[in-house]
Amino acid sequence: GSNFSPCPPAVFARIHECDMTGTTFDIVVRRDEYLADGRQAGSGRVTSSLVGEHNVRNCLAAASAALALGIGLEVIADIAADL
């Protein structure tokens, strides 16, 4: 047996609703050290017309890159809602 324990993701989604009209989810930032300038971890609610869990994953990838560039979570959530 191995004692390997993977780290929890720094950025993940908590899906609230997903149907044919769109998806509502939170982008959650777990670790403070992930943020570029010491901003606090937290979450941002997104209500998007994009349908499907695969689109949530795409939003998370873009959100992770934007966070690494120093863009705030609130701005990211607002932009993701317009997709």
Coordinates of all heavy atoms in Angstrom, one line a residue:
G1 N 0.8 -1.2 0.0 CA 0.0 0.0 0.0 C 0.9 1.3 0.0 O 1.9 1.3 0.5
S2 N 0.3 2.3 -0.6 CA 1.0 3.5 -0.7 C 0.3 4.5 0.3 O -0.9 4.5 0.5 CB 0.9 4.1 -2.1 OG 1.4 5.4 -2.2
N3 N 1.1 5.4 0.8 CA 0.6 6.5 1.6 C 0.4 7.8 0.8 O 0.2 8.8 1.4 CB 1.6 6.8 2.8 CG 1.6 5.7 3.8 OD1 0.6 5.0 3.9 ND2 2.7 5.5 4.4
F4 N 0.3 7.7 -0.5 CA 0.1 8.9 -1.3 C -1.2 9.5 -1.1 O -2.2 8.8 -1.0 CB 0.2 8.5 -2.8 CG -0.1 9.6 -3.7 CD1 0.9 10.6 -3.9 CD2 -1.3 9.7 -4.4 CE1 0.6 11.7 -4.8 CE2 -1.5 10.7 -5.3 CZ -0.6 11.7 -5.4
S5 N -1.2 10.8 -0.8 CA -2.5 11.5 -0.6 C -2.4 12.7 -1.5 O -1.7 13.7 -1.2 CB -2.6 11.9 0.9 OG -3.7 12.7 1.1
P6 N -3.2 12.8 -2.5 CA -3.2 13.9 -3.4 C -3.7 15.2 -2.7 O -4.6 15.1 -1.8 CB -4.1 13.5 -4.6 CG -5.0 12.5 -4.0 CD -4.2 11.8 -3.0
C7 N -3.2 16.3 -3.1 CA -3.6 17.6 -2.6 C -5.0 17.9 -3.1 O -5.3 17.6 -4.3 CB -2.7 18.7 -3.0 SG -1.0 18.6 -2.3
P8 N -5.9 18.5 -2.3 CA -7.2 18.9 -2.8 C -7.0 20.0 -3.8 O -6.0 20.8 -3.8 CB -7.9 19.4 -1.6 CG -6.8 19.7 -0.6 CD -5.7 18.8 -0.9
P9 N -7.9 20.2 -4.8 CA -7.7 21.2 -5.8 C -7.7 22.6 -5.2 O -8.5 22.8 -4.2 CB -8.9 21.0 -6.7 CG -9.9 20.3 -5.9 CD -9.1 19.4 -4.9
A10 N -7.0 23.5 -5.7 CA -7.0 24.9 -5.2 C -8.2 25.6 -5.7 O -8.7 26.5 -5.1 CB -5.7 25.6 -5.7
V11 N -8.7 25.3 -6.9 CA -9.9 25.9 -7.5 C -10.8 24.8 -7.9 O -10.4 23.8 -8.6 CB -9.5 26.8 -8.7 CG1 -10.8 27.4 -9.3 CG2 -8.5 27.8 -8.3
F12 N -12.1 24.9 -7.5 CA -13.0 23.9 -7.9 C -14.4 24.5 -8.0 O -14.6 25.6 -7.6 CB -13.0 22.7 -6.9 CG -13.5 23.0 -5.5 CD1 -14.8 22.8 -5.1 CD2 -12.6 23.5 -4.6 CE1 -15.2 23.1 -3.8 CE2 -13.0 23.8 -3.3 CZ -14.3 23.6 -2.9
A13 N -15.4 23.7 -8.5 CA -16.8 24.2 -8.7 C -17.7 23.4 -7.7 O -17.5 22.3 -7.5 CB -17.2 24.0 -10.1
R14 N -18.7 24.2 -7.3 CA -19.8 23.6 -6.5 C -21.0 23.9 -7.3 O -21.5 25.0 -7.4 CB -19.9 24.2 -5.1 CG -20.9 23.6 -4.2 CD -20.9 24.2 -2.8 NE -19.6 24.1 -2.2 CZ -18.9 25.1 -1.7 NH1 -19.2 26.3 -1.9 NH2 -17.7 24.8 -1.1
I15 N -21.5 22.9 -8.0 CA -22.7 23.1 -8.9 C -24.0 23.0 -8.1 O -24.2 22.1 -7.3 CB -22.7 22.0 -10.0 CG1 -21.5 22.1 -10.9 CG2 -24.0 22.1 -10.9 CD1 -21.3 21.0 -11.9
H16 N -24.8 24.1 -8.4 CA -26.1 24.2 -7.7 C -27.3 23.7 -8.6 O -28.2 23.0 -8.1 CB -26.3 25.6 -7.2 CG -25.3 26.1 -6.2 ND1 -25.4 25.7 -4.9 CD2 -24.2 26.8 -6.4 CE1 -24.4 26.2 -4.2 NE2 -23.6 26.9 -5.1
E17 N -27.2 24.1 -9.8 CA -28.3 23.7 -10.8 C -27.6 23.5 -12.1 O -26.7 24.3 -12.5 CB -29.3 24.8 -10.9 CG -30.2 25.0 -9.7 CD -31.3 26.0 -10.0 OE1 -32.0 25.9 -11.0 OE2 -31.4 27.0 -9.1
C18 N -28.1 22.5 -12.9 CA -27.6 22.3 -14.2 C -28.8 21.7 -15.0 O -29.2 20.5 -14.7 CB -26.4 21.4 -14.2 SG -25.7 21.2 -15.8
D19 N -29.3 22.4 -15.9 CA -30.4 21.9 -16.8 C -30.3 22.4 -18.2 O -29.2 23.0 -18.5 CB -31.8 22.2 -16.2 CG -32.1 23.7 -16.0 OD1 -31.5 24.5 -16.7 OD2 -32.8 24.0 -15.1
M20 N -31.3 22.3 -19.0 CA -31.1 22.7 -20.4 C -31.2 24.2 -20.6 O -30.9 24.7 -21.7 CB -32.3 22.0 -21.2 CG -32.1 20.5 -21.3 SD -30.5 20.0 -21.8 CE -30.5 20.5 -23.5
T21 N -31.4 25.0 -19.5 CA -31.4 26.4 -19.7 C -30.1 27.0 -19.2 O -29.9 28.2 -19.5 CB -32.6 27.0 -18.9 OG1 -32.4 26.8 -17.5 CG2 -33.9 26.5 -19.3
G22 N -29.3 26.3 -18.6 CA -28.0 26.8 -18.1 C -27.5 26.1 -16.8 O -28.1 25.1 -16.4
T23 N -26.5 26.7 -16.2 CA -25.8 26.1 -15.1 C -25.6 27.2 -14.1 O -25.1 28.3 -14.4 CB -24.5 25.5 -15.5 OG1 -24.8 24.5 -16.5 CG2 -23.9 24.7 -14.3
T24 N -25.8 26.9 -12.8 CA -25.5 27.8 -11.7 C -24.5 27.1 -10.8 O -24.7 26.0 -10.4 CB -26.7 28.2 -10.9 OG1 -27.6 28.9 -11.7 CG2 -26.3 29.2 -9.7
F25 N -23.3 27.7 -10.6 CA -22.3 27.1 -9.8 C -21.4 28.2 -9.1 O -21.4 29.3 -9.5 CB -21.4 26.2 -10.7 CG -20.7 26.9 -11.8 CD1 -19.3 27.3 -11.6 CD2 -21.3 27.2 -13.0 CE1 -18.6 27.9 -12.7 CE2 -20.6 27.8 -14.1 CZ -19.3 28.2 -13.9
D26 N -20.7 27.7 -8.1 CA -19.7 28.6 -7.5 C -18.3 28.2 -7.9 O -18.0 27.0 -8.0 CB -19.8 28.4 -5.9 CG -21.1 28.9 -5.3 OD1 -21.7 29.8 -5.9 OD2 -21.4 28.4 -4.2
I27 N -17.5 29.2 -8.2 CA -16.1 29.0 -8.4 C -15.5 29.2 -7.0 O -15.6 30.2 -6.4 CB -15.5 30.0 -9.4 CG1 -16.1 29.8 -10.8 CG2 -13.9 29.8 -9.4 CD1 -15.6 30.9 -11.8
V28 N -14.8 28.1 -6.5 CA -14.3 28.2 -5.1 C -12.8 28.1 -5.1 O -12.2 27.3 -5.8 CB -14.9 27.0 -4.3 CG1 -14.4 27.1 -2.8 CG2 -16.4 27.0 -4.3
V29 N -12.2 29.1 -4.5 CA -10.7 29.1 -4.3 C -10.4 28.7 -2.9 O -10.8 29.3 -2.0 CB -10.1 30.5 -4.6 CG1 -8.6 30.5 -4.4 CG2 -10.5 31.0 -6.0
R30 N -9.7 27.5 -2.8 CA -9.5 26.9 -1.5 C -8.3 27.5 -0.7 O -8.3 27.7 0.4 CB -9.3 25.4 -1.7 CG -9.1 24.7 -0.4 CD -8.9 23.2 -0.6 NE -10.0 22.6 -1.3 CZ -10.9 21.8 -0.8 NH1 -10.9 21.6 0.5 NH2 -11.9 21.3 -1.5
R31 N -7.2 27.7 -1.5 CA -5.9 28.0 -0.8 C -5.5 29.5 -1.1 O -5.4 29.9 -2.2 CB -4.8 27.1 -1.3 CG -5.1 25.6 -0.9 CD -3.9 24.8 -1.2 NE -3.6 24.8 -2.6 CZ -3.2 23.8 -3.3 NH1 -3.1 22.6 -2.8 NH2 -2.8 23.9 -4.6
D32 N -5.2 30.2 0.0 CA -4.8 31.6 -0.1 C -3.5 31.7 -1.0 O -3.3 32.7 -1.7 CB -4.5 32.2 1.2 CG -5.8 32.4 2.0 OD1 -6.9 32.3 1.4 OD2 -5.7 32.6 3.2
E33 N -2.6 30.8 -0.8 CA -1.3 30.9 -1.5 C -1.4 30.8 -3.0 O -0.5 31.1 -3.8 CB -0.3 29.9 -1.0 CG -0.6 28.4 -1.3 CD -1.4 27.8 -0.2 OE1 -2.0 28.4 0.7 OE2 -1.4 26.5 -0.2
Y34 N -2.6 30.4 -3.5 CA -2.8 30.3 -5.0 C -3.0 31.6 -5.6 O -2.6 31.9 -6.7 CB -4.0 29.4 -5.2 CG -4.2 29.1 -6.7 CD1 -3.5 28.2 -7.4 CD2 -5.2 29.8 -7.4 CE1 -3.6 27.9 -8.7 CE2 -5.3 29.6 -8.8 CZ -4.6 28.6 -9.4 OH -4.7 28.4 -10.7
L35 N -3.5 32.6 -4.8 CA -3.8 33.9 -5.3 C -2.5 34.7 -5.4 O -1.6 34.7 -4.6 CB -4.8 34.6 -4.4 CG -6.1 33.9 -4.3 CD1 -7.0 34.6 -3.3 CD2 -6.8 33.7 -5.6
A36 N -2.4 35.5 -6.5 CA -1.2 36.2 -6.9 C -0.7 37.3 -5.8 O 0.4 37.5 -5.6 CB -1.4 36.9 -8.2
D37 N -1.7 38.0 -5.2 CA -1.3 39.1 -4.4 C -1.8 39.0 -3.0 O -2.0 40.1 -2.3 CB -1.7 40.4 -5.0 CG -3.2 40.5 -5.3 OD1 -3.9 39.6 -4.8 OD2 -3.6 41.5 -5.9
G38 N -1.9 37.9 -2.4 CA -2.3 37.7 -1.1 C -3.8 37.9 -0.8 O -4.2 37.9 0.4
R39 N -4.6 38.0 -1.8 CA -6.1 38.1 -1.6 C -6.6 36.9 -0.9 O -6.0 35.8 -1.1 CB -6.8 38.4 -2.9 CG -6.5 39.8 -3.5 CD -7.0 39.9 -4.9 NE -6.0 39.2 -5.7 CZ -6.4 38.4 -6.7 NH1 -7.7 38.2 -7.0 NH2 -5.5 37.8 -7.5
Q40 N -7.7 37.0 -0.3 CA -8.3 35.9 0.5 C -8.9 34.9 -0.5 O -9.4 35.2 -1.5 CB -9.3 36.4 1.4 CG -8.8 37.2 2.5 CD -7.8 36.4 3.4 OE1 -8.1 35.4 3.9 NE2 -6.6 37.0 3.6
A41 N -8.9 33.6 -0.1 CA -9.6 32.6 -0.8 C -11.1 32.9 -0.6 O -11.5 33.6 0.3 CB -9.3 31.2 -0.2
G42 N -12.0 32.3 -1.4 CA -13.4 32.5 -1.3 C -14.1 31.9 -2.5 O -13.6 30.9 -3.1
S43 N -15.3 32.4 -2.8 CA -16.1 31.8 -3.9 C -16.8 32.9 -4.6 O -17.1 34.0 -4.1 CB -17.0 30.8 -3.4 OG -18.0 31.3 -2.5
G44 N -17.2 32.6 -5.8 CA -18.0 33.6 -6.7 C -19.1 32.8 -7.4 O -18.8 31.7 -8.0
R45 N -20.3 33.2 -7.3 CA -21.4 32.6 -7.9 C -21.5 32.9 -9.4 O -21.4 34.1 -9.8 CB -22.7 33.0 -7.2 CG -24.0 32.4 -7.7 CD -24.2 31.0 -7.5 NE -24.0 30.5 -6.2 CZ -25.0 30.2 -5.3 NH1 -26.3 30.4 -5.6 NH2 -24.7 29.7 -4.2
V46 N -21.7 31.9 -10.2 CA -21.9 32.1 -11.7 C -23.2 31.5 -12.1 O -23.5 30.3 -11.8 CB -20.7 31.4 -12.4 CG1 -21.0 31.5 -13.9 CG2 -19.4 32.0 -12.0
T47 N -24.0 32.3 -12.8 CA -25.2 31.7 -13.5 C -25.0 32.0 -14.9 O -25.0 33.1 -15.4 CB -26.5 32.4 -13.0 OG1 -26.6 32.2 -11.6 CG2 -27.7 31.9 -13.7
S48 N -24.8 30.9 -15.7 CA -24.5 30.9 -17.1 C -25.5 30.2 -17.9 O -26.1 29.2 -17.5 CB -23.1 30.3 -17.3 OG -22.8 30.2 -18.6
S49 N -25.6 30.6 -19.2 CA -26.5 29.9 -20.1 C -25.8 28.7 -20.7 O -26.4 27.9 -21.4 CB -26.9 30.8 -21.3 OG -25.8 31.3 -22.0
L50 N -24.5 28.5 -20.4 CA -23.8 27.3 -20.8 C -24.3 26.1 -20.1 O -24.6 26.1 -18.9 CB -22.3 27.4 -20.5 CG -21.5 28.5 -21.3 CD1 -20.1 28.6 -20.8 CD2 -21.6 28.3 -22.8
V51 N -24.5 25.0 -20.9 CA -25.1 23.8 -20.3 C -24.0 22.7 -20.2 O -23.2 22.5 -21.1 CB -26.2 23.3 -21.2 CG1 -26.8 22.0 -20.7 CG2 -27.3 24.4 -21.3
G52 N -24.0 22.0 -19.1 CA -23.2 20.8 -19.0 C -22.0 21.0 -18.1 O -21.4 22.1 -18.0
E53 N -21.6 19.9 -17.4 CA -20.5 19.9 -16.5 C -19.2 20.2 -17.2 O -18.3 20.8 -16.7 CB -20.4 18.5 -15.8 CG -19.5 18.5 -14.6 CD -19.6 17.2 -13.8 OE1 -20.7 16.8 -13.6 OE2 -18.5 16.7 -13.5
H54 N -19.1 19.8 -18.5 CA -17.8 20.0 -19.3 C -17.6 21.5 -19.4 O -16.5 22.0 -19.4 CB -17.9 19.3 -20.6 CG -19.0 19.8 -21.5 ND1 -20.3 19.5 -21.3 CD2 -18.9 20.6 -22.6 CE1 -21.0 20.1 -22.3 NE2 -20.2 20.8 -23.0
N55 N -18.7 22.3 -19.5 CA -18.5 23.8 -19.6 C -18.1 24.4 -18.3 O -17.3 25.4 -18.3 CB -19.8 24.4 -20.1 CG -19.9 24.2 -21.6 OD1 -19.0 24.5 -22.4 ND2 -21.1 23.8 -22.0
V56 N -18.5 23.8 -17.2 CA -18.1 24.2 -15.9 C -16.6 24.0 -15.8 O -15.8 24.8 -15.3 CB -18.8 23.5 -14.7 CG1 -18.2 23.8 -13.4 CG2 -20.3 23.8 -14.8
R57 N -16.1 22.8 -16.2 CA -14.7 22.5 -16.2 C -13.9 23.5 -17.0 O -12.8 24.0 -16.6 CB -14.4 21.1 -16.7 CG -14.8 20.1 -15.7 CD -14.3 18.7 -16.1 NE -15.1 17.7 -15.5 CZ -15.9 16.9 -16.1 NH1 -16.1 17.0 -17.4 NH2 -16.6 16.0 -15.5
N58 N -14.4 23.9 -18.2 CA -13.7 24.9 -19.0 C -13.6 26.2 -18.3 O -12.6 26.9 -18.4 CB -14.4 25.1 -20.4 CG -14.3 23.8 -21.3 OD1 -13.4 23.1 -21.1 ND2 -15.2 23.7 -22.2
C59 N -14.7 26.6 -17.6 CA -14.7 27.9 -16.9 C -13.7 27.8 -15.7 O -13.0 28.8 -15.5 CB -16.1 28.1 -16.3 SG -17.3 28.7 -17.5
L60 N -13.6 26.7 -15.1 CA -12.6 26.5 -14.0 C -11.1 26.7 -14.6 O -10.3 27.3 -13.9 CB -12.7 25.2 -13.3 CG -13.9 25.0 -12.4 CD1 -14.0 23.6 -11.8 CD2 -13.8 26.1 -11.3
A61 N -10.9 26.1 -15.7 CA -9.6 26.3 -16.3 C -9.2 27.7 -16.6 O -8.2 28.2 -16.3 CB -9.5 25.4 -17.6
A62 N -10.2 28.4 -17.2 CA -10.0 29.9 -17.5 C -9.9 30.7 -16.2 O -9.1 31.6 -16.1 CB -11.2 30.4 -18.3
A63 N -10.7 30.3 -15.2 CA -10.6 31.0 -13.9 C -9.3 30.8 -13.2 O -8.7 31.8 -12.6 CB -11.8 30.5 -13.0
S64 N -8.8 29.6 -13.3 CA -7.5 29.3 -12.7 C -6.4 30.2 -13.3 O -5.5 30.7 -12.6 CB -7.1 27.8 -12.8 OG -8.0 27.1 -12.1
A65 N -6.4 30.3 -14.6 CA -5.4 31.1 -15.3 C -5.6 32.6 -15.0 O -4.6 33.3 -14.7 CB -5.5 30.9 -16.8
A66 N -6.8 33.0 -14.9 CA -7.0 34.4 -14.6 C -6.6 34.8 -13.1 O -6.0 35.8 -12.9 CB -8.5 34.8 -14.8
L67 N -6.9 33.9 -12.2 CA -6.4 34.1 -10.8 C -4.9 34.2 -10.7 O -4.4 35.0 -10.0 CB -6.9 32.9 -9.9 CG -8.4 32.9 -9.6 CD1 -8.8 31.6 -9.0 CD2 -8.7 34.1 -8.6
A68 N -4.2 33.3 -11.5 CA -2.8 33.3 -11.5 C -2.2 34.6 -12.1 O -1.1 35.0 -11.7 CB -2.2 32.1 -12.3
L69 N -3.0 35.3 -12.9 CA -2.6 36.6 -13.5 C -3.0 37.7 -12.6 O -2.7 38.9 -12.9 CB -3.2 36.7 -14.9 CG -2.7 35.8 -15.9 CD1 -3.5 35.9 -17.2 CD2 -1.2 36.1 -16.2
G70 N -3.7 37.4 -11.5 CA -4.0 38.5 -10.5 C -5.4 39.1 -10.7 O -5.7 40.1 -10.1
I71 N -6.2 38.5 -11.6 CA -7.6 39.0 -11.7 C -8.4 38.5 -10.6 O -8.4 37.4 -10.2 CB -8.1 38.5 -13.1 CG1 -7.3 39.1 -14.2 CG2 -9.6 38.9 -13.3 CD1 -7.6 38.5 -15.6
G72 N -9.3 39.4 -10.1 CA -10.1 39.1 -8.9 C -11.2 38.1 -9.2 O -11.8 38.0 -10.3
L73 N -11.6 37.3 -8.2 CA -12.6 36.3 -8.3 C -13.9 36.9 -8.6 O -14.7 36.3 -9.4 CB -12.7 35.5 -7.0 CG -13.6 34.3 -6.9 CD1 -13.2 33.3 -8.0 CD2 -13.5 33.6 -5.6
E74 N -14.3 38.1 -8.1 CA -15.6 38.7 -8.4 C -15.6 39.1 -9.9 O -16.6 38.8 -10.6 CB -15.8 39.9 -7.6 CG -17.1 40.6 -7.8 CD -17.3 41.7 -6.8 OE1 -17.1 41.5 -5.6 OE2 -17.7 42.8 -7.3
V75 N -14.5 39.6 -10.5 CA -14.5 39.9 -11.9 C -14.6 38.6 -12.7 O -15.3 38.6 -13.7 CB -13.2 40.7 -12.2 CG1 -13.0 40.8 -13.7 CG2 -13.1 42.0 -11.5
I76 N -13.9 37.6 -12.3 CA -13.9 36.3 -13.1 C -15.4 35.8 -13.1 O -15.9 35.4 -14.1 CB -13.0 35.3 -12.4 CG1 -11.5 35.8 -12.6 CG2 -13.2 33.9 -13.0 CD1 -10.5 35.0 -11.8
A77 N -16.0 35.8 -11.9 CA -17.4 35.3 -11.9 C -18.4 36.1 -12.7 O -19.2 35.5 -13.4 CB -17.9 35.3 -10.4
D78 N -18.2 37.4 -12.8 CA -19.0 38.3 -13.6 C -18.8 38.0 -15.1 O -19.8 37.9 -15.9 CB -18.7 39.7 -13.3 CG -19.3 40.2 -12.0 OD1 -20.1 39.5 -11.4 OD2 -18.9 41.3 -11.6
I79 N -17.6 37.8 -15.5 CA -17.3 37.5 -16.9 C -17.8 36.1 -17.3 O -18.4 35.9 -18.3 CB -15.8 37.6 -17.2 CG1 -15.3 39.1 -17.0 CG2 -15.4 37.0 -18.5 CD1 -13.8 39.3 -17.1
A80 N -17.6 35.1 -16.4 CA -18.1 33.8 -16.7 C -19.6 33.7 -16.8 O -20.1 33.0 -17.6 CB -17.6 32.8 -15.6
A81 N -20.3 34.6 -16.1 CA -21.8 34.6 -16.2 C -22.2 35.1 -17.6 O -23.3 34.8 -18.0 CB -22.3 35.5 -15.1
D82 N -21.4 35.8 -18.3 CA -21.7 36.4 -19.6 C -21.4 35.4 -20.7 O -21.8 35.7 -21.9 CB -21.0 37.7 -19.9 CG -21.5 38.8 -19.0 OD1 -22.7 38.8 -18.6 OD2 -20.7 39.8 -18.8
L83 N -20.8 34.2 -20.4 CA -20.5 33.3 -21.5 C -21.8 32.5 -21.9 O -22.7 32.3 -21.2 CB -19.5 32.3 -21.0 CG -18.1 32.9 -20.6 CD1 -17.3 31.8 -20.0 CD2 -17.5 33.5 -21.8

